[in-house]
Every structure is written in structure tokens, then in C-alpha cells.
Amino acid sequence: MQSDHTAYKRIKDISRDEFILPGTTVCAGCGGLEALRLAHKVLGNNVVFVNAAGCFTLLALFPYSPFKGSWLYTNMASAPAGAQGIRDALDILIEKKRLRPEEDLKVIVLAGDGSTYDMALSATSGAIYRNLDFYYFCYDNEAYGNTGMQMSSASPLGAKTTTSIPDEQSPMGTKFHKKDIFEIWRAHKPPYIATISPRHPVDLSEKFRRSMQFKGPKLFIALSPCPTGWLYDPSHSAKIARLAVETGIWALKEAVFGETIHTYIPSKLKPVEEYLSVQGRFSHLFVPVRQDETIKKIQDEINYYWNHTEIQK
């Protein structure tokens, strides 16, 4: 198994050990589960998950769980508070010598974009302010997936959700812009923030490895292709995750104490149309009437980011 101190450079550096047992009830092709599976290989056995209500609620059906480690369920807004309670309890047990330091656990919040971008943002801000030593894993499928794919503040411009259905008055679907949760976290200047993709497993693994040297809040925003919500065949999840990065709509980056670098820069960005056209949630942009203005607006925003952001690698 990969050492905590050894860099991940190749795919074969990733552990073959599995920490999430097969046969979960999460949807086939879930990009978030693949990202979590890879992350768990780096984090190892000594973990406790604090699961905010969301799609990953389906991972554990009482009294069964696919995790080898421990798991606590909370409502959507309370996972950071749950993490605080567990961290405090562990610290007290260690201080009283009722738990050996080598038996300490990593506290990991699992939350979807609904919790992360919306409901738990206040509690999360407080946890970062208190410098709580925890990992925050956001599986971002850009909507409230577990309750019917309603629009969240992570839903991108032009996407169709069940609460932003294209019609004559608003043919583009979602007319709001995705909230920049990376920058919101970065404004707090926590030790570590990163975006990750399940189709860049070496980049993902190396980011988790690097984050383990820091004590304090650590955020990972995982692009989570969602067959049932993004309306595509589950076998296409890998292709869509890869296109998100190659078109530049999902930038792979990290920030250490507020200093941002990009960990992967496409040599030439593919047109975003290649990413949009393979997902049913954007099909209204192409048929029955092609919405060139909206497609151009999405492309212009990507171009602006890559042309006006100080890109460091």
C-alpha cells in the first residue's frame, strides 16, 4: 500500500486495497462514489465519516454499511457540527489516555452540493473559523440529486433541473450562475482546498496525500457525474468526467493557505459543446431550436476564467 509520505506519480502507485465494500445501493455510474473510493484508499482505515443527508445516505442502510470504518448520519446542515463533536471526543479520550494517539481517527464530512453550497454553509464557515481538524468531501452533482434533482446553487447556467425546466419564458433552464464554493472557502484561508475528478485518479490521490500534512479544515470538491440527474447512460461517466476537465469547465486546482495553483492545465481546451451535447440536462440547448447565445455564454465564461485567472502550476 502507498505510504503517506510517498508521492503518487503513476496509476500503479494507487493501492489495490478496497475500503468500500461492493454492492452499495448508490446509482450505477455514480462519479461521486468513484471519487470517494479513490480517496479512501489514501485516507486508510482509521476514519470516521459524518454523512450529511444526501445521495450518499444510500451508502448505509441500517444496520448495514459498506464502510470498514465508522459512520454517523446527520441532517443536511449539521455535518460540520457532528464533526466538531467527534473531534472533541477523540481529543478528550487521547488527553485522558483512554485512546492511544496511534488509534486516532480522521474525521471526514461527506456532503453533496446541496449541503455544501447551501444548507450547511453557515455551520461550515464556523467550523473553518474554529480551525476544526477535519476533511470535507463534497460530491458535487450540481443539484439536489437524492430528492429529485432540484436546482441547487451549484447547478450550472443552462442546466435543466426539475425546478428549472426550460419553457417559453426561460428556455435556457437554470439562469443563475454556479456559486464559487472554492473561493468562498479560500477566503477563510484554511490549510488546504482542492478540486478533484474521478477520472484523474493520480491527481486526486496526490492531493489527499499532500493534505494529510496539515492540521485544520481541508476541503475536496469532487466533480460527480450523475447518470440519473444529468441524463446519460451510466457507462459514459468516465467520458463526461474527462470532458469536463478537457473543456476547462472543471479546473483541477488546489490552494494551500489561500495560495492557488492549477495541478492540470489542458494543452488546448476542447469546445464546451462536446461536454454539453452528451448530457440530457443540456439537450434543450441543441433541440428543437439550437440556443447559440446560451452555448456561447457558457463558452465565454470558461474562456474568461482561463484567460484572466493567474494560472500557476
Side-chain angles (χ1 to χ4, degrees), residues 177-188:
H177 295 266
K178 179 169 182 158
K179 193 184 289 182
D180 193 343
I181 197 69
F182 184 95
E183 288 299 320
I184 292 172
W185 263 72
R186 195 168 77 93
H188 293 71

Side-chain angles (χ1 to χ4, degrees), residues 210-241:
R210 281 202 291 271
S211 76
M212 291 166 71
Q213 67 184 293
F214 301 112
K215 188 172 183 179
K218 297 168 277 284
L219 169 69
F220 297 86
I221 313 167
L223 176 71
S224 302
C226 173
T228 54
W230 296 9
L231 306 175
Y232 64 83
D233 188 281
S235 65
H236 296 166
S237 288
K239 173 184 176 182
I240 289 173

Side-chain angles (χ1 to χ4, degrees), residues 34-93:
E34 177 63 8
L36 179 61
R37 171 178 166 265
L38 291 165
H40 209 336
K41 288 171 178 281
V42 184
L43 294 167
N45 264 328
N46 290 342
V47 297
V48 54
F49 290 105
V50 185
N51 191 161
C55 290
F56 278 3
T57 298
L58 299 173
L59 280 172
L61 295 176
F62 183 82
Y64 304 106
S65 161
F67 296 118
K68 291 183 178 178
S70 299
W71 181 84
L72 173 72
Y73 186 58
T74 73
N75 64 33
M76 294 188 79
S78 300
Q84 179 79 62
I86 292 173
R87 186 64 263 162
D88 290 348
L90 289 167
D91 290 342
I92 290 170
L93 288 172

Side-chain angles (χ1 to χ4, degrees), residues 123-141:
T124 305
S125 178
I128 303 170
Y129 175 73
R130 295 190 300 273
N131 200 38
L132 176 64
D133 185 23
F134 76 129
Y135 298 77
Y136 194 117
F137 182 100
C138 170
Y139 51 100
D140 187 354
N141 65 0

Side-chain angles (χ1 to χ4, degrees), residues 100-114:
R100 292 179 297 177
E102 59 268 27
E103 295 176 320
D104 193 14
L105 302 176
K106 300 180 183 72
V107 182
I108 303 163
V109 165
L110 296 181
D113 50 278

